[in-house]
């Protein structure tokens, strides 16, 4: 049937949906990062559910994405609220929202820890202040005052014997990764890509697969009504 001329019928997702959503997701993230219209284009909402069934959500940064494996990595403190909830229940949800591009990506999946070697390699790339911060902050624990946080940071400088003069000069300083800090890899089970369009006739598609992935089994995909 022909459609009313005023409709913008240009497909926003390909007419024939690709086998995996990840090449599109990677391209959307790359485009948002390249255009840098917001300070953190790699920001995503992470929802976790603890043993009591109460969902909680917060923003974390996507630090890498493996389009072949269908995985997304973020880094955090394993002893934080999210860390405890993930240890109790590894099923999580992620949402990217690129408002300027009218795009949303929703990911649901299971979390596993990245290896110590991978976490060390990423931690070493962080500016010294952030590496110190990972030691000074017992993320999600009560804090008596802001001053107490600076005192904790100062104590850590002494305890870890950090050459602070060198750090301030911009010289490399050795600050190891705290054992309770590292990366989580979300292995996607369900991915939904959403592209906004006029008249709320958005384009929306979902890809699903079983976890664990056996024999490179692929995704089932379908378009969804907006
Ligand atoms: C833009 C932005 C990026 C953030 N990135 C991270 C991150 O990558 N990892 C992290 O642990 N917290 C990050 N945070 C802080 C979290 O949102 C959250 O406050 C913190 O992780 C504690 O959450 P929890 O108590 O639920 O564990 C970020 C916050 C914002 C606003």
């Amino acid at each position: 049937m022909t459609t009313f001329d005023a409709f913008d019928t240009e497909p926003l997702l390909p007419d024939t949906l690709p086998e995996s959503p990840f090449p599109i997701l990677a391209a959307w993230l790359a485009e948002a990062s390249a255009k840098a219209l917001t300070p953190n284009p790699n920001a995503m909402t992470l929802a976790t559910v603890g043993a009591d069934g109460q969902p909680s959500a917060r923003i974390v940064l996507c630090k890498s994405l493996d389009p072949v494996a269908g995985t997304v990595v973020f880094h955090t403190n394993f002893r934080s609220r999210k860390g405890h909830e993930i240890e109790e229940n590894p099923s999580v949800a992620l949402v990217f929202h690129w408002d300027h591009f009218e795009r949303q990506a929703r990911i649901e999946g299971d979390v596993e820890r990245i290896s110590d070697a991978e976490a060390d390699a990423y931690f070493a790339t962080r500016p010294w202040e952030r590496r110190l911060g990972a030691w000074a902050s017992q993320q999600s624990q009560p804090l008596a005052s802001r001053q107490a946080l600076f005192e904790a940071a100062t104590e850590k400088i002494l305890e870890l014997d950090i050459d602070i003069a060198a750090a301030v000069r911009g010289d490399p300083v050795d600050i190891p990764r705290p054992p309770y800090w590292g990366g989580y890899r979300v292995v996607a089970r369900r991915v939904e890509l959403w592209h906004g369009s006029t008249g709320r006739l958005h384009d929306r598609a979902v890809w699903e697969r079983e976890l664990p992935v056996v024999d490179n089994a692929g995704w089932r995909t379908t378009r969804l009504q907006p």
Side-chain angles (χ1 to χ4, degrees):
M1 186 194 287
T2 53
T3 53
F4 183 52
D5 279 352
F7 290 147
D8 181 1
T9 53
E10 187 70 24
L12 302 166
L13 295 166
D15 254 344
T16 304
L17 295 169
E19 280 177 15
S20 161
F22 268 83
I24 299 178
L25 176 59
W28 284 7
L29 177 60
E31 189 180 351
S33 301
K35 300 246 168 82
L37 300 174
T38 50
N40 296 294
N42 58 338
M44 52 190 187
T45 300
L46 162 73
T48 53
V49 180
D52 61 359
Q54 168 65 53
S56 69
R58 78 291 288 151
I59 301 289
V60 292
L61 297 180
C62 166
K63 287 297 173 180
S64 64
L65 187 150
D66 181 338
V68 175
T71 58
V72 174
V73 170
F74 64 91
H75 295 260
T76 194
N77 184 316
F78 297 139
R79 298 182 188 157
S80 63
R81 177 176 179 187
K82 75 181 92 47
H84 285 298
E85 292 183 353
I86 286 169
E87 300 303 324
E88 287 162 355
N89 176 357
S91 294
V92 303
L94 298 168
V95 184
F96 288 97
H97 178 209
W98 296 291
D99 211 357
H100 290 93
F101 299 87
E102 292 189 75
R103 288 171 180 166
Q104 172 183 241
R106 299 168 58 179
I107 300 167
E108 290 160 29
D110 289 345
V111 174
E112 58 194 29
R113 285 194 192 186
I114 65 171
S115 69
D116 285 347
E118 283 175 90
D120 286 340
Y122 170 69
F123 193 74
T125 67
R126 289 169 68 87
W128 72 270
E129 297 94 327
R130 291 192 202 172
R131 282 179 283 149
L132 174 62
W135 282 100
S137 165
Q138 304 307 310
Q139 195 177 54
S140 316
Q141 295 301 310
L143 179 66
S145 63
R146 287 280 293 158
Q147 179 60 21
L149 187 57
F150 300 125
E151 286 168 10
T154 307
E155 266 171 37
K156 289 296 175 189
I157 291 171
L158 301 174
E159 201 180 304
L160 298 167
D161 198 19
I162 300 170
D163 183 346
I164 207 73
V168 171
R169 273 200 310 274
D171 293 345
V173 283
D174 183 30
I175 306 178
R177 177 176 61 88
Y180 51 80
W181 196 99
Y184 283 118
R185 176 181 294 110
V186 180
V187 184
R189 170 183 290 117
R190 185 182 193 279
V191 176
E192 184 193 309
L193 301 179
W194 179 101
H195 203 311
S197 183
T198 45
R200 309 209 81 76
L201 296 180
H202 312 304
D203 203 0
R204 190 178 170 204
V206 65
W207 287 255
E208 287 176 291
R209 64 177 177 178
E210 311 299 328
L211 293 185
V213 178
V214 180
D215 294 337
N216 268 339
W219 300 81
R220 298 179 302 279
T221 181
T222 185
R223 262 192 163 77
L224 295 178
Q225 302 210 17

